[in-house]
Structures are given as structure tokens and as C-alpha cells.
Amino acid sequence: MLRHIPLKELHQSKPMKWLETVYHFSFANYYNSNNLRFGNLCVLNDDLISGHFGFNTHPHKDMEIVSYMVSGALTHKDSLGNEGVIRRGEVQYMSAGHGIQHSEINHGDDTLRLLQIWILPDAEDLEPDYGEHKFLWDERKNKLLHLVSSKKGDAPVKLNQDVNLYATELDKGRKLNFPISENRQCYIVQIEGASKINGIQTKERDAIEAVEENLIIEAVDKSHLLFIEMAKG
């Protein structure tokens, strides 16, 4: 089963003068009882943050949070004493566990873009944790780059949930297969460019829901995609 979700059907908002966002699921001032989550994926925000602005210190609890940078640089600070900066194609993750506070700021002059991804953990009241990984851009050129897995998986970033995140950048005309096995599902974001996914045309910032169906992705233009694969449910 495939469901194409074009950008025009996603909720677009400007909740603050420095923030423009696309909400893939209910969040903040957007609530839709028919669009609460996809399996254990409960938040996916495609954010544009103006230079010298960002999210000041605020709390989180019982959530696995992944930030995937599309452009610019994001600075993180948290109550555990961690501090770091991620840039295009890099990943920052935070297991909020029983409680953590953090800030995320764009200290640059230009607007940055990132995908903020929240995944329900497999248990509550875990120990908070933070990390980041500086993936090289070429690691995803015309192939799948495994960004995130469960603690039992083999990706560099490991979360407290049965979930896998992959990224790719395909040159125009290149194809890639992405199998989705029985009792599994995947949420795909067309981050940049355009593709055909099992014949369905996707454009920048569109999404696809796929359940138990093998995918053939063909790049219509240079195509940057993110795959969030998980148990069906």
C-alpha cells in the first residue's frame, strides 16, 4: 500500500516570525485526529529557522528525537552539559528519557533547514542521552546510507526503538530499490529534487507512506530522500 502526500496537503505554518514549518503530523497549533502519527513516528517537522534565532531552552520527556540537517548549521546545548553543531547531512539525536532540557539555535546569518523527527521510545523513564554523527555527504551518493537503527542494529546512531532511518541522494536517472518486508512500513520524505516512487511522481517536501511494499525509486532530477522504516502499526 502506498499513499502519496503532496506538500499542499501537509499543514504549513509560520508560528513565529523566525520559523516557517511543515507539520507532517499533529503538532503545536495543528491538531488533526486523523493525522496523529505513523506507527511510532509521531512528529516530523520540516523547519526553516531564520539566522540568529531558534528554540531557547525547553524540556522534553520520554521521546527519541532526531534532527537531520538539510542546510545551515544548528547549535545544540542541553542540561547534561552537551554542546554540538551539526551541518548538512549530519544527524543529532537525543533520548529525552525521564527528562532533559535543551536549546537549538541558528547562529548563522542565513536561514537553515532541518527535519525534526520524534519517535516514541520502547520504554519510559530511561536515562537521557545525546549524540551526533558527522556523516560524509558522499556516503549517500546513489546508495542508501544507514543513519539510525535500534540499539540492536548496526547504524552509527542508535535509538531506544525498532526503527531505521536511511538517506540517499540519487543523480538524475538513477534508480534504487528499497524493500519493505512483511509487518513493516516506511515514511519517505522527498527532501530535495523530484522522484518517481513506484511510478508516483514526488516533488520537493512531498511524502509517501508505504506499507509492506517494495519500492523502486527513480530520480527525475537530482533527488535527496529520507526513509523512516519501522514495525507496522
Side-chain angles (χ1 to χ4, degrees), residues 6 8 21 29 33 37 48 52 68-69 80 94-96 108 115 120 122-123 133 158 175 179 192 199 202 219 226 228:
K8 65 182 180 181
T21 190
N29 63 339
S33 60
R37 61 180 189 164
L48 297 174
H52 306 288
Y68 180 83
M69 288 300 298
L80 299 179
M94 188 174 70
S95 295
L115 301 182
L120 294 171
D122 55 18
H133 195 86
K158 295 178 171 61
K175 292 185 178 181
E192 296 170 302
T202 58
L226 182 74
I228 307 171

Side-chain angles (χ1 to χ4, degrees), residues 158-202:
K158 295 178 171 61
L159 300 183
N160 296 294
Q161 186 51 268
D162 176 14
V163 64
N164 294 283
L165 273 67
Y166 301 86
T168 189
E169 184 189 62
L170 300 176
D171 290 329
K172 182 178 180 179
R174 294 293 293 264
K175 292 185 178 181
L176 182 147
N177 294 333
F178 190 95
I180 303 173
S181 60
E182 186 176 0
N183 295 319
R184 306 291 292 183
Q185 62 188 30
C186 188
Y187 196 84
I188 304 106
V189 181
Q190 181 75 54
I191 302 175
E192 296 170 302
S195 302
K196 286 185 178 179
I197 299 179
N198 288 13
I200 298 173
Q201 174 76 56
T202 58

Side-chain angles (χ1 to χ4, degrees), residues 8 10 22 24 36 43 46 57 72 99 118-119 126 130 140 148 170 173 180 191 198 206 224:
K8 65 182 180 181
L10 295 167
V22 175
H24 285 250
L36 298 178
V43 172
D46 189 336
T57 302
W118 294 14
I119 296 165
L126 297 168
Y130 168 83
R140 78 208 74 204
V148 175
L170 300 176
I180 303 173
I191 302 175
N198 288 13
D206 286 2
H224 181 196

Side-chain angles (χ1 to χ4, degrees), residues 16-68:
M16 286 167 272
K17 66 177 183 180
W18 51 266
L19 175 65
E20 294 182 39
T21 190
V22 175
Y23 296 143
H24 285 250
F25 306 101
S26 295
F27 187 84
N29 63 339
Y30 165 60
Y31 178 78
N32 180 344
S33 60
N34 296 315
N35 188 30
L36 298 178
R37 61 180 189 164
F38 182 71
N40 287 315
L41 172 63
C42 58
V43 172
L44 200 162
N45 296 345
D46 189 336
D47 290 339
L48 297 174
I49 301 174
S50 298
H52 306 288
F53 285 94
F55 302 99
N56 293 322
T57 302
H58 58 281
H60 289 286
K61 187 177 186 294
D62 291 329
M63 194 64 67
E64 304 291 288
I65 299 172
V66 177
S67 297
Y68 180 83

